[in-house]
Amino acid sequence: MTDNGVNGVLHREKVLTVDNMNPHVKRVEYAVRGPIVQRAVQIEKELREGVKKPFTEVIKANIGDAHAMGQRPITFLRQVLALCAYPDLLEDNKFPEDAKSRARRILHACGGGSLGAYSASQGIECIRQDVARYIEKRDGGIPCNPDNIYLSTGASDAIVTMLKLLVSGEGCSRTGVMISIPQYPLYSAALAELAAVQVSYYLDESQCWSLDVSELRRAVTAARQHCNPRALCIINPGNPTGQVQSRQCIEDVIRFAAEEHLFLMADEVYQDNVYADGCQFHSFKKVLFEMGPEYSDKVELASFHSTSKCYMGECGFRGGYMEVINLDPEVKVQLTKLVSVRLCPPVPGQALLDLVVNPPQPGEPSHATFIKERTATLDDLAEKAKLTEQVLNTIPGISCNPVQGAMYTFPRITLPGRAISEAKEKGQAPDMFYCMRLLEETGICLVPGSGFGQRDGTYHFRMTILPPTEKLKVVLEKVGEFHQRFTDQYS
């Protein structure tokens, strides 16, 4: 406190300043909603105020927000959620009986029959049971214990919770967590906030962003010089790179984790988003158990899924789950304690998750419409994945791997030396400079590859494949025209 005032009034300095705040928070970066997106929001405001631009709208192709990009909600999901939110609608004959029966079952499991009540911290029991049955069916009958299921606020919440349990030690014993480069920035942001050590391993762009165990071994060996690597994070299908791992690759990763005594974290939120011929989603849990007890009794695994992606795209409801395998029973007690601190995941998100894992069955009134909508959504995404790859590869100076799965493409861009120099003079990463210019000139919002990590000397951007097909064609055409102009200007 300082006495610089007049008439005895004290002037207080701020208790919390950027100099004395938590330093780990200052190291957090999240490119998906970073400076480019903030500028995009400003431009939208300017357009509304009548400021003249060389475009009439901002197209946000920066984030996997399906409904914001025009994807239609699945009718059955919204019907049941409406019934749960306003139970008086159960008397309305506009709603099919299977939707009503699902809603009644969910409401019966809620305190006071209301979505507005807290649930158990681990999630509503009958929903965890439905998740377990869904996993068993997905994995060909491999048992799943509902007690190993933790419902969560999207997959992100569960991932951060698991990382909190893993991080310990100081100096050379500080926990290291292996993450892919390129990576989804949730991981680097969470590790920065927790003051853990990021251990980067690189995906092979020349082999369609494949994962090579020799690269994992290089990374873990180097990391042991300065930290204690304890966990390996895998995103399959990949974000931002769109690759789908082969079964052989997953087996190799599991063997590596067993040999190196690493906790496996499998981010599988895009498991229904597989488009390329010859590609198939294999869950880490299924492969682990099919490898036999030498691995299935030993390797610790947490796998994650969400209602935000796949055909649902219900990002705003924040529904998700985590399944833990071979977790030490005493650690499981600590995990349950930790999730109880935040009371419970959003109950509407839990209800939505229940419908994803327990959709309309053959013979039920909603089944035909559900299958038709689900198939149409996934077929549309597959078509746009192929379109995006094909068009980007016709643009000189841009090369794009096949979009095998997920919702993004991560093309490599060739930038002229003068552009790289000018970017560095401005204190910007060259692909940030490129993407900011693209936004200002075309209204298209993309995320620079530097926000996800990339090999030195290479430049990329991440773009979603979510815009409606006709709008996506316009976006791709504008990107091509801009890239040509940008290249000409700086050559």
Side-chain angles (χ1 to χ4, degrees):
M1 190 178 292
T2 56
D3 188 357
N4 301 322
V6 182
N7 299 326
V9 177
L10 296 176
H11 292 278
R12 292 176 62 94
E13 294 175 354
K14 295 287 186 188
V15 174
L16 179 63
T17 70
V18 76
D19 293 324
N20 66 22
M21 68 176 284
N22 183 336
H24 306 311
V25 172
K26 288 194 283 186
R27 286 197 283 271
V28 170
E29 292 185 6
Y30 189 63
V32 173
R33 292 187 180 230
I36 284 206
V37 182
Q38 291 161 17
R39 176 59 187 143
V41 171
Q42 286 179 335
I43 291 174
E44 284 182 316
K45 186 180 177 186
E46 290 168 12
L47 286 170
R48 286 194 301 271
E49 292 170 350
V51 177
K52 296 298 180 191
K53 302 278 183 186
F55 48 87
T56 57
E57 67 170 332
V58 172
I59 300 175
K60 292 179 182 171
N62 61 295
I63 194 166
D65 192 352
H67 292 183
M69 286 282 98
Q71 183 175 306
R72 300 289 299 166
I74 300 294
T75 301
F76 181 76
L77 305 185
R78 289 301 183 88
Q79 284 177 329
V80 180
L81 288 170
L83 291 162
C84 288
Y86 189 55
D88 287 3
L89 292 174
L90 288 164
E91 306 306 317
D92 192 322
N93 59 14
K94 293 189 186 74
F95 291 83
E97 279 306 314
D98 53 347
K100 290 181 178 181
S101 66
R102 290 292 201 293
R104 289 189 188 101
R105 179 171 179 264
I106 291 166
L107 289 171
H108 184 71
C110 294
S114 171
L115 280 190
Y118 288 132
S119 77
S121 297
Q122 198 169 336
I124 294 171
E125 185 175 4
C126 72
I127 298 178
R128 289 191 290 111
Q129 290 168 350
D130 286 347
V131 170
R133 280 189 285 268
Y134 163 84
I135 293 171
E136 281 187 11
K137 184 178 179 182
R138 181 198 69 187
D139 292 344
I142 293 166
C144 179
N145 184 346
D147 287 343
N148 290 337
I149 303 296
Y150 288 77
L151 305 190
S152 57
T153 308
S156 302
D157 169 50
I159 290 165
V160 173
T161 297
M162 207 67 238
L163 289 171
K164 285 179 182 176
L165 292 179
L166 282 157
V167 174
S168 67
E170 298 296 335
C172 286
S173 67
R174 189 65 174 167
T175 294
V177 178
M178 301 182 70
I179 65 172
S180 64
I181 299 296
Q183 54 102 23
Y184 176 48
L186 163 72
Y187 291 91
S188 55
L191 296 178
E193 184 180 354
L194 294 169
V197 179
Q198 176 179 317
V199 178
S200 301
Y201 64 89
Y202 289 87
L203 303 176
D204 187 349
E205 184 172 12
S206 68
Q207 299 294 319
C208 203
W209 298 111
S210 65
L211 170 56
D212 192 311
V213 168
S214 64
E215 169 60 12
L216 293 178
R217 213 168 295 286
R218 177 207 63 77
V220 79
T221 301
R224 288 207 166 106
Q225 306 302 309
H226 59 88
C227 69
N228 177 24
R230 299 182 69 202
L232 168 58
C233 300
I234 307 284
I235 308 175
N236 180 50
N239 175 10
T241 42
Q243 83 285 3
V244 178
Q245 289 185 351
S246 68
R247 184 195 168 88
Q248 184 60 55
C249 176
I250 293 171
E251 284 190 21
D252 292 344
V253 169
I254 290 170
R255 286 193 191 92
F256 171 80
E259 290 165 11
E260 300 293 341
H261 199 55
L262 296 170
F263 191 107
L264 262 179
M265 295 176 63
D267 181 340
E268 298 174 333
V269 302
Y270 297 98
Q271 57 190 257
D272 290 328
N273 298 111
V274 177
Y275 317 122
D277 292 339
C279 288
Q280 182 182 348
F281 171 74
H282 302 277
S283 79
F284 265 77
K285 183 192 177 182
K286 183 174 190 282
V287 176
L288 173 64
F289 277 78
E290 289 178 348
M291 289 172 70
E294 177 187 357
Y295 296 97
S296 61
D297 290 348
K298 174 181 174 185
V299 174
E300 294 153 80
L301 168 69
S303 56
F304 309 91
H305 195 17
S306 165
T307 61
S308 299
K309 309 301 177 185
C310 301
Y311 63 91
M312 304 84 71
E314 295 279 12
C315 304
F317 279 98
R318 311 308 299 132
Y321 74 76
M322 165 173 69
E323 182 185 16
V324 293
I325 303 293
N326 294 324
L327 197 64
D328 182 299
E330 292 184 17
V331 173
K332 200 171 170 192
V333 171
Q334 296 298 317
L335 169 59
T336 304
K337 177 186 75 176
L338 187 58
V339 300
S340 72
V341 173
R342 52 99 165 108
L343 297 175
C344 70
V347 176
Q350 294 186 53
L352 175 64
L353 177 66
D354 191 54
L355 307 173
V356 172
V357 299
N358 183 23
Q361 300 301 306
E364 292 185 327
S366 301
H367 181 257
T369 300
F370 172 79
I371 293 298
K372 180 183 175 184
E373 291 177 346
R374 181 185 189 275
T375 303
T377 299
L378 292 174
D379 286 352
D380 186 47
L381 287 168
E383 180 187 312
K384 291 190 285 191
K386 192 171 291 186
L387 171 71
T388 303
E389 175 204 344
Q390 288 172 345
V391 174
L392 287 174
N393 279 325
T394 66
I395 303 169
I398 296 183
S399 61
C400 179
N401 271 315
V403 184
Q404 296 176 335
M407 294 177 169
Y408 316 97
T409 180
F410 197 71
R412 185 167 177 172
I413 52 177
T414 302
L415 300 180
R418 281 181 55 218
I420 294 169
S421 298
E422 185 171 326
K424 289 179 178 174
E425 285 170 14
K426 293 176 180 288
Q428 291 183 341
D431 47 14
M432 168 67 89
F433 176 67
Y434 175 94
C435 287
M436 195 65 87
R437 282 282 301 274
L438 175 71
L439 173 63
E440 297 287 354
E441 293 182 24
T442 69
I444 296 168
C445 181
L446 306 179
V447 190
S450 48
F452 300 89
Q454 55 199 351
R455 286 198 178 274
D456 288 345
T458 68
Y459 307 105
H460 303 79
F461 59 73
R462 188 187 81 163
M463 185 180 102
T464 75
I465 61 170
L466 291 171
T469 302
E470 292 310 308
K471 186 172 281 191
L472 181 62
K473 288 177 181 176
V474 171
V475 169
L476 292 167
E477 182 183 350
K478 284 187 172 185
V479 168
E481 291 169 354
F482 169 80
H483 189 81
Q484 188 63 57
R485 279 199 313 274
F486 186 89
T487 301
D488 291 347
Q489 180 183 347
Y490 286 99
S491 293

